[in-house]
Amino acid sequence: MQDNGRYHATLGQQRFSFKSLVELLARASPERSGDQLAGVAAESAQERIAARMALADLPLQRFLEEPLIPYEDDEVTRLIMDSHDRDAFRPVAHLTVGEFRDWLLRYEVDAATLRALAPGLTPEMVAAVSKLMRNQDLILVASKARVETRFRNTIGAPATLAVRLQPNHPTDDPTGIAASILDGLLHGAGDATVGINPATDNVDSYITLTRLMDELRQAYAIPMQSCVLAHVTTALEAVDQGAPVDLIFQSIAGTEAANRAFGIDLALLQQAHDAGRSLGRGTVGQNLMYFETGQGSALSADAHHGVDQQTCEARAHAVARAFDPLLVNTVVGFIGPEYLYDGKQIIRAGLEDHFCGKLLGLPMGCDVCYTNHAEADQDDMDILLTVLTAAGCNFVMGVPGADDIMLSYQSTSFHDANYVRQLLGKTPAPEFRQWLQAMEVLDEQGRLLSPQAGRGLLKHAERLAAGAAGYLPQ
């Protein structure tokens, strides 16, 4: 219940009060180290339950009346409010947050219903309802939401799971990168993108890596898109110099101040989006932005305005939604235990982020990952990978050996992606699958050919190595 600007709930003989919507959402969040570090978490399990009781009774309409960060102070808030589609919101406008949870779980609420609803939802609404859900609720509802995007292949098609092939190298060595790309292609990875995190963020290195991947793509007629994950300003300079840029990447956050810490604002993202579109490099579509997010980024920049980290993350999804991206992924355990302490918190955060993004209409993937100083291990990642795929996650990472030797964190391997594709009946993106079959990497049933997998690629392996060598310093 709410009166005089305060939110209340009674649990047993104790009455709890929450002074604002910001505080109510933070206290209702599942336990996580980042909110405790920020001093916004519930002080007890009882307070957390009381906050959820008050939140369940809150009308969804309230989020349109009480912005968490003032409209005049934050361009992300202005984006959320100005782009809200009241007609799309109408089917659920009369519901409370608790009633919205029950509505989402109804049988008749299907992919088409959720697709039509997405423009009418704000990130605060979806963050709020997620706080009332068990993990199984997050999985079930997200599995009903399907978002398809296209550049040179179709990401998010039914019964598919794409993989970002991540061939990072600590010195950006072209031969090492090419070897990892070949390894990934032979395991059916690369349909989401072949995306390199460069060791050095400069224009020359960006252009070299972009040309390497583009020549590889053309040599083998691969229906894929490439990406160098440098700052968006580096991509803009490369476009100006005529580089063959496919996807444009940027890390984003859920507040104006946090985005400023990343060196960006909405106008810069719009400039990058327009520059990428002007190249017209897509063949089956023109979704070309690739965004990465992650709980804790606003807090680490001291730019969270007292908002809990999961709600800040959902607000980052509103930024992504404005630019029709091909790919959005939450790098769920990358920052470290200061924000997500252990495997339990990482699993929960991954499911929340995927759920919120899908409800907002985003093509969500996840970097199922952790740092070596977190209380997590690969068994936790096996669980998260499996439940996210069951929830309809669009794509995951493919890192050689699951160990990124440049970024020094643990992710998922090519083998992990094949495990979950086999377990849950998923295949690569349809155009990419046809190419893999033509290269004799997959059979007609979509299974990896072994032990002579990829004869169509392997017979040209020396050519691939020679091509990469052409990018080495002479």
Side-chain angles (χ1 to χ4, degrees):
M1 82 181 272
Q2 186 265 336
D3 60 77
N4 297 324
R6 296 179 65 88
Y7 300 85
H8 306 284
T10 300
L11 189 63
Q13 301 300 312
Q14 189 172 2
R15 182 176 172 83
F16 293 86
S17 295
F18 309 96
K19 63 184 179 183
S20 67
L21 192 49
V22 169
E23 183 175 277
L24 177 65
L25 288 168
R27 300 294 196 269
S29 286
E31 182 179 7
R32 63 203 53 195
S33 53
D35 289 338
Q36 292 167 338
L37 178 66
V40 303
E43 296 182 0
S44 65
Q46 290 84 354
E47 185 183 27
R48 184 173 293 110
I49 293 300
R52 291 176 182 173
M53 291 170 61
L55 185 61
D57 290 337
L58 187 74
L60 289 175
Q61 183 70 34
R62 184 66 180 165
F63 293 102
L64 301 175
E65 301 165 354
E66 185 180 337
L68 302 189
I69 303 171
Y71 183 93
E72 59 275 12
D73 295 342
D74 185 86
E75 69 172 358
V76 177
T77 297
R78 293 193 289 275
L79 172 67
I80 291 167
M81 293 298 181
D82 294 348
S83 63
H84 181 251
D85 187 332
R86 288 189 175 271
D87 290 335
F89 179 56
R90 190 169 291 114
V92 298
H94 61 290
L95 300 179
T96 65
V97 177
E99 291 168 340
F100 184 42
R101 172 196 174 273
D102 296 341
W103 183 89
L104 287 169
L105 291 167
R106 290 164 58 176
Y107 286 107
E108 59 268 28
V109 174
D110 57 11
T113 305
L114 293 176
R115 189 179 306 113
L117 177 65
L121 297 178
T122 70
E124 292 84 359
M125 293 175 190
V126 298
V129 75
S130 75
K131 297 175 192 297
L132 305 183
M133 290 182 154
R134 290 174 55 185
N135 287 357
Q136 64 175 242
D137 300 333
L138 299 174
I139 294 166
L140 179 58
V141 175
S143 74
K144 299 193 290 184
R146 192 170 75 245
V147 181
E148 295 186 17
T149 53
R150 296 169 178 83
F151 191 76
R152 290 199 187 93
N153 58 37
T154 303
I155 307 298
T160 64
L161 174 68
V163 181
R164 171 193 158 190
L165 202 171
Q166 187 168 309
N168 295 344
H169 192 279
T171 63
D172 289 340
D173 176 73
T175 302
I177 288 171
S180 292
I181 292 175
L182 177 61
D183 186 18
L185 292 173
L186 289 169
H187 285 88
D191 45 349
T193 186
V194 177
I196 303 171
N197 296 91
T200 54
D201 191 334
N202 64 69
V203 177
D204 289 343
S205 175
Y206 185 104
I207 293 174
T208 296
L209 295 175
T210 301
R211 286 178 176 164
L212 168 65
M213 290 187 288
D214 195 57
E215 290 181 14
L216 170 66
R217 175 187 67 82
Q218 293 189 67
Y220 294 99
I222 310 172
M224 66 172 227
Q225 41 277 335
S226 65
C227 185
V228 178
L229 281 72
H231 194 269
V232 66
T233 52
T234 305
L236 280 169
E237 289 187 50
V239 170
D240 287 343
Q241 294 186 33
V245 176
D246 285 348
L247 305 187
I248 295 178
F249 166 82
Q250 184 56 48
S251 294
I252 56 173
T255 71
E256 179 180 345
N259 283 325
R260 195 180 306 122
F262 282 140
I264 61 169
D265 57 21
L266 297 180
L268 181 60
L269 293 178
Q270 186 65 57
Q271 181 185 352
H273 177 264
D274 293 345
R277 280 286 183 92
S278 72
L279 300 179
R281 291 176 57 81
T283 56
V284 297
Q286 290 297 327
N287 301 113
L288 55 83
M289 299 300 287
Y290 175 15
F291 294 117
E292 285 189 346
T293 66
Q295 290 193 27
S297 58
L299 173 57
S300 67
D302 193 24
H304 59 101
H305 300 270
V307 179
D308 67 273
Q309 66 181 42
Q310 188 245 332
T311 303
C312 281
E313 168 74 359
R315 285 170 56 92
H317 296 163
V319 175
R321 182 168 63 173
F323 300 99
D324 298 319
L326 179 78
L327 308 169
V328 179
N329 75 277
T330 170
V331 191
V332 65
F334 183 75
I335 301 182
E338 301 86 353
Y339 303 94
L340 295 170
Y341 178 73
D342 57 15
K344 180 181 177 66
Q345 292 188 13
I346 292 171
I347 290 168
R348 174 70 190 192
L351 290 174
E352 288 171 346
D353 297 347
H354 178 255
F355 165 88
C356 290
K358 278 292 183 67
L359 278 195
L360 291 170
L362 290 180
M364 288 300 297
C366 183
D367 190 343
V368 177
C369 64
Y370 65 101
T371 57
N372 286 313
H373 62 309
E375 292 295 320
D377 58 27
Q378 213 65 41
D379 288 337
D380 297 311
M381 299 305 102
D382 287 348
I383 293 170
L384 181 53
L385 172 65
T386 305
V387 295
L388 277 172
T389 306
C393 191
N394 279 22
F395 68 100
V396 295
M397 303 300 113
V399 178
D403 183 2
D404 193 301
I405 59 174
M406 196 280 283
L407 293 172
S408 298
Y409 78 114
Q410 308 304 307
S411 186
T412 47
S413 70
F414 308 136
H415 301 82
D416 295 331
N418 284 320
Y419 141 73
V420 80
R421 280 174 173 170
Q422 182 178 352
L423 176 70
L424 297 176
K426 304 286 187 177
T427 69
E431 301 89 345
F432 195 75
R433 174 179 173 173
Q434 292 175 9
W435 178 83
L436 290 170
Q437 289 169 338
M439 291 291 105
E440 301 177 78
V441 175
L442 299 182
D443 66 14
E444 290 301 316
Q445 285 72 47
R447 299 173 299 188
L448 282 174
L449 288 167
S450 179
Q452 297 180 346
R455 287 171 291 181
L457 274 176
L458 285 174
K459 64 185 180 183
H460 299 298
E462 290 184 6
R463 176 183 169 196
L464 175 62
Y471 288 87
L472 291 172
Q474 300 300 313

